[in-house]
Amino acid sequence: EGEEVSILAFCDGKTVIPMVSSQDHKKIFDNDQGPNTGGMGAYSPVPFYLDEFKKRVLEEILKPTVEGLQSEGREYKGVLYAGLVLTKEGPKVLEFNARFGDPETQVILPRLKTDLIDILNAVIEETLHKINIEWKNNTAVCVVLASGGYPGKYQKGKVISGLERLKEMEDIIVFHAGSKLQDNKVITSGGRVLGITAWDKTISKAKERAYKGVKEIYFEDMYYRKDIAVKAIK
């Protein structure tokens, strides 16, 4: 029992450098109700992911995992994703992924100050210990727009409008997932269609900005959660 936190880390086989924290919203409905999805939104950083957790996650989970792989002759290079639960006894591992996580990445990468290419080259060249990875002192919130009926049956081919208006808005970006271009129109082609990510000084301001962006978008039967990042604001 406890809050879930996603910690992604860059790894060059020997050195592990955690990224900023984020929290996904797995359930389809508000207040974490209903079936699980691929993720209905995320925010970063997680205010209850305290320094004591950060230290334990690095020393007790991430480093031993990479060392364990190394001892088996598996030199892991890339992004190590740890899905954690912050329990009363401390952080516990729920899952590992060998990739960037979605929608967590949509709130993590916009906060990255250091050039991602430089970091990835350091991963390849095993020089991660030489690089100083810097982050912006801001927050980010992502709201996923899904097809009505998802994660069950849903229809495809709905025309998406409002994307042009979002281009004019500041500190906001649209990540395309289940969408495609057909006859010069952007249409839906999956369950989770778009991720609207905004950033600002505080989580409540970033949330406000993200939902302002959401209101500009329309497609038939569009569905999204109304409570992304509410836990962090509380």
Side-chain angles (χ1 to χ4, degrees), residues 9-194:
F10 293 111
C11 180
D12 68 358
K14 295 175 183 72
T15 305
V16 192
I17 301 178
M19 300 181 213
V20 287
S21 61
S22 63
Q23 187 180 53
D24 186 11
H25 296 61
K26 288 270 196 297
K27 302 283 187 182
I28 186 69
F29 301 125
D30 288 4
N31 304 313
D32 296 327
Q33 300 296 308
N36 270 340
T37 69
M40 290 303 295
Y43 66 86
S44 174
V46 179
F48 38 83
Y49 184 64
L50 307 170
D51 286 345
E52 60 190 88
F53 286 129
K54 288 179 193 174
K55 201 175 177 186
R56 286 188 67 178
V57 168
L58 182 61
E59 298 301 329
E60 295 173 24
I61 295 169
L62 296 175
K63 280 184 179 177
T65 301
V66 172
E67 283 161 12
L69 287 164
Q70 222 179 349
S71 71
E72 292 179 357
R74 306 172 196 276
E75 199 151 70
Y76 182 74
K77 289 183 177 186
V79 173
L80 182 64
Y81 166 129
L84 309 171
V85 180
L86 305 178
T87 74
K88 283 174 186 171
E89 293 85 48
K92 292 188 184 290
V93 178
L94 193 64
E95 62 172 351
F96 279 121
N97 287 306
R99 55 171 171 81
F100 273 113
D102 164 28
E104 294 95 332
T105 308
Q106 285 90 315
V107 291
I108 290 171
L109 288 189
R111 299 188 58 215
L112 183 62
K113 219 179 194 177
T114 308
D115 194 314
L116 181 62
I117 300 295
D118 293 342
I119 301 169
L120 299 182
N121 280 333
V123 166
I124 294 162
E125 290 156 13
E126 296 177 23
T127 55
L128 209 48
H129 63 287
K130 292 180 182 176
I131 199 164
N132 179 30
I133 299 174
E134 290 185 287
W135 298 90
K136 294 169 191 167
N137 188 23
N138 63 358
T139 70
V141 172
C142 174
V143 180
V144 170
L145 306 184
S147 297
Y150 172 80
K153 286 181 181 175
Y154 56 86
Q155 291 181 327
K156 297 178 182 180
K158 309 287 185 187
V159 176
I160 303 166
S161 62
L163 291 167
E164 289 302 315
R165 287 195 292 277
L166 251 74
K167 279 183 185 174
E168 294 159 18
M169 293 171 74
E170 271 183 32
D171 299 338
I172 194 162
I173 188 170
V174 180
F175 289 99
H176 287 258
S179 68
K180 69 176 183 181
L181 199 57
Q182 191 175 294
D183 303 325
N184 284 329
K185 287 176 182 170
V186 182
I187 62 167
T188 66
S189 69
R192 293 187 303 151
V193 180
L194 304 170

